[in-house]
Amino acid sequence: MEWIVVAAAIVCLLVPFNEGVSQRNDSFLLVTSSTVDFNITDVADSVQVAVNEVLRESLLHNFNYRVFQTQCNGSLSPSDLLNELNIKSVEAIVLGFGCTNSSLLSDSKWNDIQPMLPPIVSYASLKNWDGLRESFSVVRVVPSYSQLAQALAKLVSRFNWKQVLLITEEIAVSLKDFRTEFSSGGIAVDIQSLNGNISSNYKNLVIGDKRVIILDTKLSTAKQIICSAFHSRKHYPGCAWIVIDNFVSSRWWEDQVNVDLTCTNEQLEHVLNFSLTVGIHPPAKENSLRFAAYAHDAVTAVALALNKSVTLGDAFNISSFSDVSFEGQSGLVGFTKFDRANASLYINQMRIINDTLVPNGVGVYSYITNELNVTSSDNEIWPLGVPSDGIPVMVIVTLNNILFYVSAGLTVIGVVWTIICFLFLVIYRKAKIIRLTSPKLHYLMLIGSFIAYSSQVLYTLPITDSIILEVICSVRLALLTVFGYNICLAVATVKLWRIYYIFVNPKPNKKIPKDGHLMIVILAITAVDFTVLLIIVALENIYTSPQLQKSEFYTTQINQTTGEVKEFYLLICNRGNYFRMIQSWTFIHKIIIHSASLYFSFRTRKIKVPVLNEYKSTSASAYSTAVFIVLTAILLFPLANYPNIYVICYTLLLFTLISIFVSFTFIPKMIALCKDPKGDKIFQEEKVVDVLSPAGTENF
């Protein structure tokens, strides 16, 4: 049997008002059902109290009522109700609890007599009346569930839950509203709609990865599902229950139902402990009567509306309730069109206190503001922690701190070595070995090495902010790829090209490229690289956010108490199309330049002139860095899914590549300066093999 709204009607005989209210014989008809789940005695007692108050306060002098009790067997017909109404003239109908097959508001068989029915006042209907407002003259004393879906969505979002399970017989929840509200809030919902075809295997409903369960069923179904949850150990702190409180009794789990349960009341309470309930009943109003308070206020509302119509000399109809307002047993009562004004939904949490399960108010959802106000903190509501919704919590971590210290140490070493080489150039700038070996190009190389050494620490900074990392991703790309390593490689390449150019068909009047010309070539190589990268960035809409990647240094953690699952992620530079395009261009660009430097080195390998001996160390750096570039490509691509290992390998390879360029350039000069401080041996004549001339040899 489902809870729905049947009729409870208050009908007052409207007679001409001559000398006062005392000449009227006002009566109303109370229509309800007495079922297993609902005892009419509580309502009847409360109604009688309200009638006595009306008479005592002289609102109506001849206020009385009769009870028309329906049966839950579908036997109630329109003619039955009309006959009852005609026995004694009445003015209104008030709806209470009953059965689906005899519902005055949901069965089409009542359509023909709708124009003949007096105004209806409901004290028990919670559902949405959108389809009935034009058919019936009806108002509602009890707050509706018209905004239940919104309230539930806000409640679930309040605790950052992203997925829920709804088990429903569609007692209160509108599935359409539920899907709409939860979808707009980014909450995944698994709906198990029983639709009257209830399986006896309730255990399957509560088994799975869903840890936040919303329950919207009738009493007997609710008790069976809660019992299954006990046997499945689905309760706090590993699970959160949200129960839609449709029940008549405040201690509904103790009510008798015609089903076989394998749980005691204490076991049901064990599951319900720390559960949340959403309903129209504030904790202060919790008692065994519950809806009896609304029945009391329905009687009072009708009496005040009748009094108003008599006083003003107006006909009694649904508009007579428009200005009715009073403080009733259920709180402040007033009406906006068909519904109760100032309606709210109350969020209660069930707690076992002194061995008794009692509700504790933790929040209120207002229909006026559409806002949920949670009055308790998360720690107060969930002392053992907020239950997990089953979705792993994403924790952003940084690279291992050791990597940062290693990278910072290499940066310091590299920068210090660069400064030493710079001071060497400045101090011995007048020495022949310095003046005759392109010092301007060496200054440019030191600038590139300084930038490259400094930028490598940017790969290991402990960053968890995506905006900051986004900036650093772009900055370190430009510093390292374009202005750092490129400059060092370009300097070595153009120096080898000059040697190659000199020995191509050497002529006495052949012009030798000066350092200034070579610097223009270096800047051109850098500009081409930088321009292509800018185009790629522009194609990617200039903006590519960092992405998350699972950290290989942390294992997934599961909180055995709350069931919370933590997975650890690193923020890394985006590796989508943007990353692949840049990576591809970077390697293509470097391969072209390296290939040129290797070619020049190979073709000039037999030249032997002391003043040109520097090209040997430059060639050695070209060969060595080519090997490391190949090693970088082989190692780093497979390691892309292991950020910590990738970064340390990348940092070490970068440090090695730059150090090769700088060391192979300056260490031979330092040694030569120690052996020949004055440079007397630089111009000693030696045999030169010209590998480019047809004769094979020439003297230089």
Side-chain angles (χ1 to χ4, degrees):
M1 251 184 285
E2 301 180 6
W3 290 115
I4 64 161
V5 179
V6 218
I10 303 173
V11 182
C12 298
L13 181 61
L14 183 61
V15 296
F17 181 77
N18 295 322
E19 298 181 7
V21 181
S22 61
Q23 295 183 359
R24 297 175 55 84
N25 184 22
D26 300 314
S27 65
F28 65 87
L29 183 67
L30 178 63
V31 179
T32 187
S33 296
S34 182
T35 70
V36 174
D37 294 332
F38 178 66
N39 191 335
I40 192 176
T41 304
D42 292 340
V43 167
D45 291 343
S46 189
V47 167
Q48 186 59 55
V49 170
V51 170
N52 293 339
E53 290 175 353
V54 169
L55 296 174
R56 185 170 62 250
E57 296 176 9
S58 299
L59 289 175
L60 297 169
H61 288 262
N62 297 301
F63 197 45
N64 58 82
Y65 72 99
R66 292 177 298 107
V67 176
F68 180 57
Q69 191 171 157
T70 66
Q71 302 297 323
C72 292
N73 55 12
S75 60
L76 181 63
S77 66
S79 59
D80 293 331
L81 182 59
L82 286 179
N83 290 335
E84 186 66 27
L85 294 176
N86 290 332
I87 293 175
K88 192 171 185 179
S89 181
V90 292
E91 295 285 347
I93 296 176
V94 177
L95 302 179
F97 281 106
C99 313
T100 301
N101 56 11
S102 60
S103 174
L104 182 59
L105 293 185
S106 61
D107 200 321
S108 60
K109 68 184 180 182
W110 301 97
N111 293 343
D112 294 337
I113 70 166
Q114 289 171 7
M116 294 177 277
L117 296 177
I120 301 172
V121 181
S122 171
Y123 68 84
S125 176
L126 304 174
K127 280 198 171 183
N128 198 328
W129 283 359
D130 288 342
L132 305 169
R133 297 177 187 270
E134 296 181 0
S135 303
F136 287 88
S137 295
V138 58
V139 293
R140 175 163 36 198
V141 173
V142 66
S144 73
Y145 275 153
S146 60
Q147 295 189 38
L148 177 61
Q150 294 94 314
L152 288 172
K154 288 182 180 293
L155 179 62
V156 169
S157 298
R158 170 63 177 75
F159 298 111
N160 296 317
W161 291 324
K162 295 300 181 182
Q163 69 173 4
V164 299
L165 168 65
L166 171 64
I167 303 175
T168 180
E169 291 179 301
E170 299 184 46
I171 302 299
V173 171
S174 165
L175 293 186
K176 178 182 178 181
D177 292 344
F178 191 88
R179 289 190 179 98
T180 299
E181 293 297 329
F182 276 63
S183 176
S184 62
I187 303 169
V189 55
D190 178 10
I191 299 178
Q192 297 290 334
S193 182
L194 303 181
N195 292 325
N197 185 19
I198 305 171
S199 170
S200 59
N201 190 8
Y202 291 101
K203 186 176 182 180
N204 292 336
L205 295 175
V206 295
I207 292 179
D209 61 344
K210 305 298 187 301
R211 294 177 174 272
V212 180
I213 306 174
I214 300 175
L215 189 61
D216 173 38
T217 65
K218 64 184 180 182
L219 177 61
S220 57
T221 306
K223 293 188 69 170
Q224 292 178 84
I225 291 175
I226 295 297
C227 182
S228 294
F230 173 80
H231 294 300
S232 302
R233 298 183 179 180
K234 273 291 187 79
H235 50 73
Y236 185 75
C239 181
W241 284 88
I242 302 176
V243 180
I244 310 303
D245 193 353
N246 307 303
F247 313 112
V248 177
S249 171
S250 60
R251 301 190 62 80
W252 52 269
W253 61 91
E254 296 178 344
D255 293 345
Q256 296 297 316
V257 292
N258 292 329
V259 293
D260 294 329
L261 287 178
T262 58
C263 295
T264 64
N265 289 341
E266 289 74 16
Q267 291 171 331
L268 297 178
E269 290 178 351
H270 185 73
V271 176
L272 292 173
N273 190 30
F274 290 100
S275 67
L276 298 173
T277 66
V278 180
I280 62 172
H281 309 288
K285 300 295 181 182
E286 289 288 335
N287 54 66
S288 60
L289 300 179
R290 261 194 172 180
F291 283 95
Y294 293 105
H296 170 280
D297 292 344
V299 174
T300 305
V302 171
L304 290 172
L306 282 168
N307 178 270
K308 173 186 172 184
S309 68
V310 172
T311 303
L312 298 178
D314 297 333
F316 176 69
N317 52 42
I318 201 67
S319 62
S320 302
F321 293 88
S322 59
D323 296 327
V324 170
S325 179
F326 63 96
E327 186 67 36
Q329 288 188 1
S330 62
L332 181 63
V333 179
F335 302 97
T336 55
K337 294 185 178 180
F338 301 96
D339 285 324
R340 178 167 177 159
N342 302 318
S344 297
L345 289 175
Y346 296 92
I347 316 299
N348 300 323
Q349 186 179 49
M350 307 304 293
R351 289 285 190 95
I352 295 179
I353 301 176
N354 296 327
D355 297 328
T356 303
L357 187 65
V358 295
N360 176 48
V362 295
V364 178
Y365 176 85
S366 171
Y367 280 28
I368 298 176
T369 63
N370 297 328
E371 294 294 333
L372 173 67
N373 179 28
V374 176
T375 56
S376 301
S377 67
D378 287 0
N379 290 335
E380 291 173 331
I381 299 174
W382 313 108
L384 298 179
V386 178
S388 169
D389 59 2
I391 297 179
V393 177
M394 189 178 297
V395 180
I396 308 299
V397 297
T398 62
L399 293 170
N400 193 292
N401 290 333
I402 296 177
L403 300 182
F404 173 73
Y405 297 131
V406 170
S407 178
L410 293 176
T411 297
V412 171
I413 294 172
V415 169
V416 169
W417 175 229
T418 301
I419 294 173
I420 291 173
C421 294
F422 174 77
L423 293 175
F424 172 77
L425 281 180
V426 173
I427 294 171
Y428 297 101
R429 62 187 179 277
K430 294 183 180 181
K432 288 183 180 180
I433 192 66
I434 302 299
R435 288 189 292 110
L436 296 176
T437 54
S438 305
K440 293 180 180 179
L441 296 182
H442 294 153
Y443 283 120
L444 196 59
M445 175 183 283
L446 290 178
I447 292 174
S449 65
F450 181 84
I451 293 174
Y453 280 132
S454 301
S455 64
Q456 67 181 10
V457 75
L458 297 178
Y459 284 83
T460 57
L461 288 176
I463 299 171
T464 57
D465 186 277
S466 60
I467 297 177
I468 296 176
L469 181 60
E470 180 187 334
V471 175
I472 289 180
C473 288
S474 301
V475 169
R476 74 190 188 189
L477 173 67
L479 290 178
L480 174 60
T481 303
V482 179
F483 301 112
Y485 182 79
N486 258 12
I487 293 176
C488 295
L489 177 59
V491 168
T493 303
V494 297
K495 287 173 66 178
L496 291 170
W497 170 77
R498 182 163 58 180
I499 300 297
Y500 173 82
Y501 177 78
I502 292 172
F503 286 92
V504 174
N505 298 321
K507 298 178 182 179
N509 297 325
K510 195 172 187 178
K511 292 183 178 181
I512 299 176
K514 297 181 179 180
D515 287 357
H517 299 145
L518 298 184
M519 291 181 71
I520 293 175
V521 175
I522 294 170
L523 294 176
I525 293 173
T526 304
V528 169
D529 193 18
F530 186 67
T531 302
V532 172
L533 290 177
L534 281 181
I535 294 173
I536 295 174
V537 172
L539 292 175
E540 194 70 12
N541 298 323
I542 312 177
Y543 177 89
T544 304
S545 299
Q547 66 185 43
L548 292 170
Q549 181 170 321
K550 237 180 176 181
S551 173
E552 73 276 27
F553 270 35
Y554 295 87
T555 58
T556 300
Q557 295 181 1
I558 301 177
N559 187 317
Q560 298 300 327
T561 302
T562 63
E564 181 182 63
V565 179
K566 287 185 179 180
E567 293 182 344
F568 299 89
Y569 288 82
L570 290 166
L571 267 178
I572 62 173
C573 296
N574 192 286
R575 291 182 176 174
N577 294 332
Y578 169 74
F579 172 79
R580 285 189 288 270
M581 291 172 68
I582 288 180
Q583 197 172 47
S584 299
W585 163 251
T586 298
F587 274 97
I588 291 172
H589 184 260
K590 303 298 179 294
I591 288 172
I592 292 173
I593 300 176
H594 268 289
S595 298
S597 65
L598 291 174
Y599 176 79
F600 299 145
S601 298
F602 181 79
R603 296 303 301 271
T604 59
R605 65 189 183 279
K606 295 183 180 181
I607 297 176
K608 295 181 180 180
V609 176
V611 74
L612 298 177
N613 277 346
E614 185 200 24
Y615 94 92
K616 296 181 179 179
S617 59
T618 306
S619 296
S621 68
Y623 289 125
S624 302
T625 54
V627 172
F628 276 97
I629 283 291
V630 174
L631 186 62
T632 300
I634 294 174
L635 289 179
L636 294 188
F637 279 103
L639 294 176
N641 293 325
Y642 305 93
N644 287 274
I645 301 175
Y646 178 92
V647 166
I648 190 61
C649 290
Y650 190 85
T651 302
L652 290 172
L653 286 170
L654 171 63
F655 178 82
T656 303
L657 286 170
I658 302 302
S659 297
I660 287 174
F661 280 122
V662 177
S663 300
F664 278 39
T665 299
F666 287 93
I667 290 178
K669 288 180 175 55
M670 293 176 181
I671 295 174
L673 191 63
C674 290
K675 292 181 177 181
D676 185 17
K678 296 181 179 181
D680 296 333
K681 299 179 182 180
I682 291 179
F683 293 102
Q684 288 183 355
E685 188 175 283
E686 289 191 15
K687 185 178 180 181
V688 178
V689 177
D690 183 1
V691 296
L692 301 176
S693 68
T697 61
E698 279 189 19
N699 290 330
F700 180 76

